[in-house]
Amino acid sequence: MNGPGVVALSLSLVVLTSYCGLSTLSQTGPTSTSAGLVAPAAPFAVPATAESRSTSRVISGAVGPLVEGAPPCFANRYPCEVFDLSLPRPGPIEVALTWLGAPRAMLVQLYWAGEGLAHEDVAPREGPPRIWFHRPMMEAAAYKVRVVSLEPASRIPFKLTLTH
């Protein structure tokens, strides 16, 4: 890379670092809840400012089993629970899901209400029963979050945290 390219790259990294506030990031670890579920660790914690006021909603529940007469969700084969989420101004959305069961027993979907899928995630094949994702910039809109059980014959307790 030539001299001007190195200068441009260095300058962009400095601007990106100062813009993102990387010097204020700190790693956090998982915590236990009274129900025995492991709360997913946020990959970083950013100090709250007047502009970054976020709200979190924690939902505990269970999904499944798929019973006769109940409308299935995912692929018309699996039970799910659906939650509304409203983003009053543009900003990030963070979704964290933990459950009691196999690592691949659940998936989580974020939908624009009535418009289509914004994000879908499933846990790795090996590891804890946990899904976490962060969408850094979403428009102010109504959303739906689906917690889907991929084990339709089972009842799976879960904890869902929605932060926006």
Side-chain angles (χ1 to χ4, degrees), residues 36-100:
L37 298 175
V38 175
F44 54 83
V46 179
T49 65
E51 293 178 9
S52 68
R53 285 182 226 149
S54 62
T55 59
S56 289
R57 183 171 136 200
V58 178
I59 302 162
S60 295
V63 63
L66 186 60
V67 294
E68 188 70 33
C73 260
F74 183 67
N76 290 325
R77 296 178 47 196
Y78 301 99
C80 74
E81 294 292 326
V82 181
F83 304 96
D84 293 323
L85 171 66
S86 179
L87 195 59
R89 63 188 174 280
I93 293 177
E94 180 178 304
V95 176
L97 176 69
T98 58
W99 62 92
L100 295 174

Side-chain angles (χ1 to χ4, degrees), residues 127-151:
R130 174 178 56 210
I131 298 170
W132 177 89
F133 66 85
H134 177 85
R135 296 291 303 254
M137 183 52 75
M138 299 296 287
E139 63 267 11
Y143 296 90
K144 292 203 178 285
V145 177
R146 288 184 183 175
V147 175
V148 181
S149 169
L150 298 175
E151 295 181 357

